Amino acid sequence: MRKNFKGIFSLLAIILLMLTGCSTSGAKTSVSNASTDKTDEVVLYVTRHGKTMFNTVHRAQGWSDTPLTDDGVKVAEQLGKGLKEKKITFKSAYSSDAGRARETARLALKNNGQSDLQVKESKNLREVCFGSYEGEHDEVMWGDAGKELGYNSYEDFMKAISSGEATVPEMLSALKKIDKSGMSEEWDGVRQRMQKELTEIAEETAEDGGGNVLVVAHGMSILSMISNMTEETPEGGQLANASVTKIVYKDGKFKVKEVGNTAYAEAGTNEK
C-alpha cells in the first residue's frame, strides 16, 4: 500500500534502511517503455546505487564512500539487463561523484549494451552529508541526534520515529547542531541541490530533442528531491537498491510516474 509524504517521516525504515542497504524488494509497478523518438519530452530514470560495504555493516554513508558488495554488483548488472529486455536505451547518463553511484551506472549501462555512453558526474547528486558522523555506526549517530532532541536513548528515539513523534528533517537539523565539522546537511538544502541538478539535466536534454536519461544517486537524497513533487512513496518508505524512480519532464514541468520501482532489476533476473 502506498503512503503519502505527510506520513513518510514517521517511518523507521527511511532512517535504518537508507543507511544500511536493502534488497531489491520494494514497490512493484508495471514497467512501461518511454518513447525514444526525438521529442522535447525527457524521461529521467533516477536510480539508487547498489548495496555497499558500509550499508552491510550499518555505518553512516553519505559523502563517505565504500565499494559495492558482490550483491551490489549483481543487482546493478540485473538492472542493466532488465532495461535491455524492456528495450529502454539512454541518450545520456549521470551519477553522483561517489564511486558506488558511478560503478552502478557503468554496470547498468554495460549490461544494457551501452558501455560506450559516458557517465557524467555531479556533486549535486550526492547523498546527504552527515559531517563528522560519516563512517560512524548508525546507532551512535542517530542516538546522539535523539539526545539533542530530548530523547534518553537510541531506542526511545527510534520509537519516536516509528510513531511519527519525530521526523527525518528534525533529525537532520539536530545532527547539524551537534556536528563538529559544520558540513552536515539538512533536508531542505539537499532537496534544493538535487532539484537544481535535475532541472539542469532535464532542460539540457529537452533542448537537445528529449529522450531517456539515466541518473544514479542515493536513497535519502532521492526521497528528499521528490518530497514536494509527489505524495507517492515506495513500499515501506524506503528505496531498494537499484530501484527506479521515473520522472517525466515536459513543458518545463516534472511529473513523477513511478517511485522505487524494482521491476526493472527483477526483469534482469529473468533474462535468457
Side-chain angles (χ1 to χ4, degrees):
M1 180 177 68
R2 294 172 178 168
K3 298 180 175 65
N4 61 40
F5 266 99
K6 294 179 181 178
I8 189 173
F9 303 137
S10 67
L11 296 170
L12 175 59
I14 196 173
I15 293 301
L16 299 180
L17 295 179
M18 285 296 93
L19 301 177
T20 60
C22 49
S23 69
T24 59
S25 60
K28 298 182 182 179
T29 56
S30 60
V31 179
S32 58
N33 293 349
S35 173
T36 56
D37 294 335
K38 286 289 183 178
T39 172
D40 63 351
E41 180 176 272
V42 180
V43 184
L44 301 131
Y45 291 75
V46 184
T47 304
R48 186 189 175 201
H49 63 80
K51 192 173 185 179
T52 70
M53 183 177 70
F54 267 11
N55 292 156
T56 304
V57 297
H58 310 293
R59 288 184 178 271
Q61 183 177 231
W63 284 16
S64 60
D65 195 32
T66 57
L68 299 183
T69 60
D70 289 345
D71 285 342
V73 169
K74 183 177 179 180
V75 76
E77 292 174 340
Q78 289 171 347
L79 172 63
K81 292 174 182 177
L83 290 165
K84 183 177 181 179
E85 182 173 312
K86 300 299 179 182
K87 296 180 173 57
I88 298 170
T89 57
F90 297 104
K91 187 170 191 176
S92 58
Y94 296 80
S95 77
S96 81
D97 60 348
R100 61 191 186 274
R102 181 192 314 120
E103 185 177 6
T104 298
R106 290 176 177 172
L107 286 169
L109 289 171
K110 178 181 179 181
N111 286 273
N112 190 36
Q114 291 188 275
S115 57
D116 292 338
L117 188 63
Q118 178 187 2
V119 178
K120 303 173 185 177
E121 299 178 23
S122 172
K123 294 180 179 180
N124 283 337
L125 294 173
R126 288 178 179 179
E127 179 61 291
V128 176
C129 179
F130 301 113
S132 57
Y133 285 91
E134 289 284 342
E136 182 58 88
H137 286 287
D138 297 336
E139 183 173 341
V140 173
M141 180 173 71
W142 298 122
D144 286 355
K147 290 177 182 177
E148 176 67 20
L149 291 172
Y151 296 91
N152 293 324
S153 67
Y154 168 78
E155 289 74 19
D156 288 344
F157 188 38
M158 290 299 99
K159 290 178 182 178
I161 294 298
S162 181
S163 68
E165 180 181 320
T167 68
V168 171
E170 288 174 345
M171 287 186 294
L172 293 179
S173 293
L175 202 64
K176 182 73 173 178
K177 292 178 181 178
I178 61 178
D179 168 37
K180 296 179 181 179
S181 74
M183 294 180 64
S184 63
E185 294 183 289
E186 297 186 74
W187 185 263
D188 289 346
V190 175
R191 183 182 67 237
Q192 290 168 12
R193 66 167 166 81
M194 288 287 290
Q195 289 185 352
K196 177 179 182 293
E197 187 66 23
L198 194 73
T199 299
E200 291 179 359
I201 292 171
E203 289 180 346
E204 180 179 336
T205 306
E207 290 175 1
D208 193 34
N212 297 329
V213 181
L214 176 66
V215 179
V216 181
H218 307 266
M220 191 177 286
S221 62
I222 294 172
L223 286 176
S224 176
M225 181 184 71
I226 66 171
S227 61
N228 63 354
M229 290 183 179
T230 180
E231 292 187 346
E232 182 182 346
T233 67
E235 186 87 16
Q238 49 83 23
L239 293 174
N241 295 112
S243 64
V244 172
T245 295
K246 188 163 75 172
I247 305 171
V248 173
Y249 177 82
K250 188 173 179 64
D251 299 326
K253 297 180 181 179
F254 289 105
K255 186 172 183 179
V256 179
K257 295 289 189 178
E258 301 170 351
V259 177
N261 189 356
T262 61
Y264 300 92
E266 289 165 0
T269 65
N270 300 323
E271 185 195 45
K272 296 179 181 180

